[in-house]
Amino acid sequence: MTQNIEAQGLLILIVPPSLEESLVDALLQQAEISGFTSSKVNGHGTVRGDAATLSIVEQVTGRQQRVQFMMHANIVDLKNLVSSLKSTFRSTDIHYILMPILEC
């Protein structure tokens, strides 16, 4: 039996709390995704290896507050979404991971 199912992917976005509302608004406008989840998370480490960009509190505690968004959809649609977000949120501290889904 052959299934003609488009490849699905999982997109994870990790953003500073200051971008949360703007990103929620942007994601809600995307017809290609049916929904997404968000949660408060902590980032550990430095920003691109530069500890000077961390606040004193972040340097002492070893963590930064972040918001994580997760969504799954067709991989092609997710790649297009990433391109759009890169353009819209240029020069912001957004980290993303896009990976294939074997089953969902």
Side-chain angles (χ1 to χ4, degrees):
M1 186 164 139
T2 304
Q3 293 182 351
N4 187 14
I5 299 175
E6 295 178 345
Q8 296 286 298
L10 175 66
L11 176 60
I12 302 170
L13 302 169
I14 302 168
V15 307
S18 61
L19 295 178
E20 181 178 12
E21 293 306 318
S22 296
L23 205 52
V24 166
D25 291 342
L27 293 175
L28 287 173
Q29 295 176 22
Q30 303 300 312
E32 295 80 13
I33 58 174
S34 60
F36 55 91
T37 60
S38 66
S39 57
K40 308 287 186 198
V41 296
N42 288 312
H44 303 274
T46 59
V47 178
R48 294 179 187 85
D50 185 6
T53 61
L54 302 176
S55 73
I56 297 297
V57 172
E58 291 169 344
Q59 290 178 42
V60 171
T61 63
R63 65 183 48 116
Q64 298 173 296
Q65 292 183 350
R66 293 286 183 253
V67 179
Q68 177 176 288
F69 294 89
M70 293 176 50
M71 66 217 69
H72 82 272
N74 176 298
I75 284 186
V76 172
D77 291 337
L78 292 175
K79 285 182 178 182
N80 291 336
L81 174 58
V82 167
S83 292
S84 173
L85 293 175
K86 282 181 178 181
S87 175
T88 303
F89 294 94
R90 186 175 312 129
S91 301
T92 61
D93 185 19
I94 293 180
H95 178 74
Y96 73 92
I97 302 164
L98 177 57
M99 60 186 129
I101 294 176
L102 297 177
E103 187 175 342
C104 61

